């Protein structure tokens, strides 16, 4: 199964995708338009040919056409039988990096942002860099933390994405290298079932600059996916993980379908599937859902 997604898929982009399939000696047995908005997307059912060559050709076509993303998945029941979706939070479910929001309140924005960028690009050890950044927040009071929480911005399509998953019977979870003071509010607001994040230590109404308990790093994220899947009785091949940073790589590799969403280059290159469109609900089309099915789920609530 090949899915192509873009803000406006032109005939040139569609031709690039079909040529890539043909050049790998693949036959297009079926074409389905999944959506016209918020993005355009089409699904191709492919038979014959070299899967590796077709994948290589399609990824090259996507690189040459920045307005087109491609996803290549094995055809089968498991594709439409996904049951658990685990999401990163910072720059995935929300548009922000929550530590940057806190740093702005503490007057440490530039210092923290520089460390964050290097950590998310995989240039720094995540745990060490997180301790370094959190230390810069020492003394921040509860009112400032609340102001930071109120400044969070959901990613476009996030509410539709989560709402549709719930109405179709999916289990949702978040796992974040950010902080529980943010993720717990998001879980309550969106009705997400499970969550895991770092806990900031607060004494006498002020942050101490320390973290309570083990750091949620890339290994912990992958383990959380395994733990939730095991608890819910969901086979790992029926799980989906969505994230953007180097901290998400193990989780994306572990899941039945790992999706790099508006991700850093190191993550796009390693993930099964990458989306560059700014709408989180576009992930639904990679699950084989059509816009009509999404709207029907809304109407049936």
């Amino acid at each position: 199964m090949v899915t192509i997604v873009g803000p406006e898929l032109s005939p040139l982009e569609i031709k690039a995708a079909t040529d890539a399939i043909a050049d790998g000696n693949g036959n297009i047995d079926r074409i389905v338009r999944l959506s016209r908005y918020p993005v355009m997307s089409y699904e191709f059912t492919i038979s014959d040919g070299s899967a590796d060559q077709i994948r290589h050709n399609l990824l090259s076509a996507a690189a040459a056409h920045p307005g087109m993303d491609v996803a290549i998945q094995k055809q089968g029941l498991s594709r439409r039988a996904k049951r658990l979706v685990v999401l990163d939070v910072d720059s995935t479910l929300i548009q922000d990096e929550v530590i940057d929001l806190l740093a702005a309140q503490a007057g440490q924005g530039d210092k923290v942002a520089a460390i964050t960028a290097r950590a998310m690009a995989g240039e720094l050890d995540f745990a060490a860099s997180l301790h370094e950044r959190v230390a810069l927040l020492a003394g921040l009071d509860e009112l400032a933390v609340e102001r930071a929480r109120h400044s969070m911005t959901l990613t476009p399509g996030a509410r539709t994405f989560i709402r549709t998953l719930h109405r179709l019977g999916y289990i949702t979870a978040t796992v974040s290298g950010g902080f529980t003071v943010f993720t717990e509010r998001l879980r309550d607001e969106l009705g997400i079932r499970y969550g895991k994040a770092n806990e900031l230590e607060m004494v006498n109404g002020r942050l101490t600059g320390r973290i309570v308990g083990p750091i949620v790093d890339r290994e912990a994220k992958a383990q959380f996916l395994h733990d939730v899947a095991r608890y819910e009785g969901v086979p790992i091949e029926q799980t989906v993980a969505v994230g953007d940073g180097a901290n998400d790589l193990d989780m994306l590799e572990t899941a039945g379908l790992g999706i790099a969403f508006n991700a850093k280059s190191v993550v796009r290159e390693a993930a099964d599937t990458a989306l560059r469109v700014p709408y989180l609900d576009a992930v639904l089309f990679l699950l084989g859902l059509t816009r009509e099915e999404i709207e029907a789920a809304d109407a049936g609530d």
Side-chain angles (χ1 to χ4, degrees):
M1 303 300 298
V2 172
T3 310
I4 61 172
V5 181
E8 293 182 9
L9 291 173
S10 68
L12 182 63
E13 289 165 329
I14 295 173
K15 181 178 184 299
T18 57
D19 285 350
I21 295 166
D23 290 345
N25 295 316
N27 294 316
I28 301 175
D29 296 335
R30 184 169 178 256
I31 302 175
V32 176
R33 186 184 68 235
L34 299 175
S35 66
R36 294 180 182 272
Y37 67 92
V39 294
M40 294 184 67
S41 59
Y42 292 86
E43 180 181 87
F44 301 88
T45 304
I46 311 301
S47 62
D48 300 326
S50 165
D52 289 342
Q53 187 61 51
I54 290 171
R55 176 184 294 272
H56 172 78
N57 294 348
L58 283 166
L59 293 177
S60 296
H65 295 84
M68 178 178 70
D69 291 324
V70 298
I72 306 102
Q73 303 173 59
K74 289 183 179 179
Q75 186 177 4
L77 292 176
S78 64
R79 180 167 179 261
R80 289 295 296 263
K82 297 291 191 292
R83 294 168 52 197
L84 168 64
V85 178
V86 179
L87 291 148
D88 173 47
V89 175
D90 291 16
S91 298
T92 302
L93 183 59
I94 64 174
Q95 294 181 295
D96 317 284
E97 293 288 330
V98 296
I99 196 164
D100 292 342
L101 299 180
L102 291 169
Q105 296 293 324
Q108 299 282 3
D110 291 343
K111 290 181 180 179
V112 168
I115 301 170
T116 298
R118 294 182 64 196
M120 294 303 289
E123 298 176 10
L124 294 175
D125 172 77
F126 179 78
S129 68
L130 185 62
H131 283 299
E132 184 179 349
R133 289 174 286 172
V134 169
L136 294 171
L137 306 177
L140 204 62
D141 63 24
E142 289 178 301
L143 183 58
V145 173
E146 184 63 20
R147 287 196 298 267
R149 277 197 294 245
H150 277 292
S151 65
M152 280 191 303
T153 303
L154 284 171
T155 298
R159 291 185 188 279
T160 299
F161 180 55
I162 298 297
R163 183 177 67 243
T164 302
L165 290 175
H166 290 168
R167 289 172 175 173
L168 294 175
Y170 287 74
I171 301 160
T172 57
T174 61
V175 61
S176 175
F179 309 112
T180 55
V181 291
F182 294 90
T183 60
E184 289 176 357
R185 174 165 294 186
L186 289 167
R187 284 175 55 203
D188 292 343
E189 180 180 344
L190 298 173
I192 294 168
R193 188 176 300 183
Y194 299 101
K196 186 179 182 66
N198 296 302
E199 182 181 352
L200 293 170
E201 184 179 64
M202 185 172 285
V203 176
N204 297 325
R206 292 185 179 274
L207 297 182
T208 65
R210 294 187 293 270
I211 294 172
V212 178
I215 296 294
V216 179
D217 56 12
R218 58 190 289 174
E219 292 84 4
K221 285 190 170 190
Q223 187 60 51
F224 177 76
L225 171 65
H226 270 296
D227 291 344
V228 175
R230 187 182 305 112
Y231 183 79
E232 288 288 346
V234 176
I236 204 68
E237 61 269 18
Q238 293 181 10
T239 65
V240 180
V242 187
D244 76 298
N247 205 30
D248 300 310
L249 280 171
D250 289 6
M251 176 176 74
L252 297 181
E253 183 178 349
T254 297
L257 174 62
I259 300 170
F261 179 75
N262 287 324
K264 284 70 177 174
S265 58
V266 66
V267 183
R268 288 199 307 271
E269 292 165 4
D272 293 335
T273 300
L275 277 179
R276 290 171 289 187
V277 295
Y279 306 103
L280 190 57
D281 52 340
V283 171
L284 296 169
F285 306 131
L286 302 185
L287 303 179
L289 296 172
T290 67
R291 171 53 61 182
E292 289 75 16
E293 288 173 316
I294 295 169
E295 293 176 348
D298 271 349
D301 186 54

